[in-house]
Amino acid sequence: MPSPQDMKQRIEAAIPGAHAEVEDYTGGGDHFRATVTAQAFDGLSRVEQHRRVYEVFADEIGGPIHALALTTQVPSTVPSN
Amino acid sequence: MSTQPSTPTQPEPLPMSSTQSTPTPTPTPSDGSNPIREAIAGAIAEHDVILFMKGTPEAPACGFSARTVAVLQALEVPFAAVDVLPDPRIRQELSALSNWPTIPQLFASGELIGGCDIVTEMYESGELAQALS
């Protein structure tokens, strides 16, 4: 059974420069919510961005991972003060 | 009350909720053709907006499918719906075709719009109304 911490590390290892937050939102170890921020998403459609994350877990989705709700984003340019 | 558009009454191996037909399991032929995948591709091509979901729009069997239906109904977009649950091969073939592992999957004009998260995000930003118009 994957843990949120394990999933976070796997996403960050698979997508260079990514920052991931993963939450087990039912506490049951099988429904997860992830927010992934990565410069590598720049120029990709939302569908392509989500595919990049789904690919990390390939066969586990529909198996041990019943649900993986995703929010993907490109890091916003924070104006420096 | 139904938001379903009228669908052709030709024999259809997919459990389209708009036709009320009983899904007929199709035996896998030995000639290498893939009737389920072909039926899925055909349904995606035939319908401007089509949702592959768990359950039906009237009785969704999963919260993500329910939320996606609710978004489409809020936009008053007519859509066809296919229940993937009666035959596990529908989900297998759909995911192989779309390169998308989860259900629901929304298609418009033959293109995958996304799953529940993307549909919800695009609804909230107003992009979905544009994409489906």
Side-chain angles (χ1 to χ4, degrees):
Chain A
M1 185 178 294
S3 72
Q5 189 58 29
D6 170 48
M7 291 173 69
K8 168 187 166 70
Q9 286 169 357
R10 288 172 59 193
I11 294 168
E12 292 178 349
I15 304 172
H19 174 75
E21 298 289 340
V22 183
E23 176 195 2
D24 173 357
Y25 67 89
T26 64
D30 52 10
H31 289 69
F32 300 93
R33 180 184 293 131
T35 301
V36 184
T37 309
Q39 192 61 48
F41 291 153
D42 194 20
L44 301 182
S45 69
R46 282 193 184 85
V47 164
E48 290 165 335
Q49 292 176 8
H50 284 218
R51 277 189 185 128
R52 290 289 306 275
V53 182
Y54 285 141
E55 280 164 5
V56 177
F57 304 103
D59 295 340
E60 291 156 88
I61 292 176
I65 300 174
H66 291 189
L68 177 57
L70 282 181
T71 305
T72 54
Q73 56 198 14
V74 178
S76 53
T77 314
V78 181
S80 53
N81 295 330
Chain B
M1 154 119 189
S2 169
T3 57
Q4 306 305 309
S6 61
T7 357
T9 50
Q10 77 223 26
E12 174 62 79
L14 296 178
M16 306 283 293
S17 66
S18 45
T19 61
Q20 306 296 318
S21 61
T22 309
T24 334
T26 317
T28 305
S30 52
D31 63 1
S33 68
N34 189 329
I36 294 181
R37 194 178 300 197
E38 283 161 20
I40 292 168
I44 291 170
E46 276 167 34
H47 297 276
D48 287 344
V49 182
I50 181 166
L51 177 68
F52 292 84
M53 63 179 293
K54 293 182 180 176
T56 63
E58 293 73 27
C62 162
F64 300 104
S65 289
R67 199 191 307 165
T68 306
V69 166
V71 163
L72 293 174
Q73 290 175 343
L75 289 176
E76 299 184 345
V77 173
F79 63 99
V82 175
D83 183 0
V84 304
L85 292 178
D87 186 335
R89 292 174 298 178
I90 300 171
R91 180 175 175 167
Q92 286 166 17
E93 295 300 333
L94 172 64
S95 287
L97 191 69
S98 62
N99 187 23
W100 192 262
T102 55
I103 303 292
Q105 296 185 25
L106 179 68
F107 292 80
S109 306
E111 295 290 322
L112 176 66
I113 298 289
C116 177
D117 301 314
I118 290 177
V119 168
T120 305
E121 212 175 299
M122 289 179 71
Y123 172 61
E124 288 168 355
S125 70
E127 290 164 87
L128 190 64
Q130 284 188 313
L132 301 184
S133 64

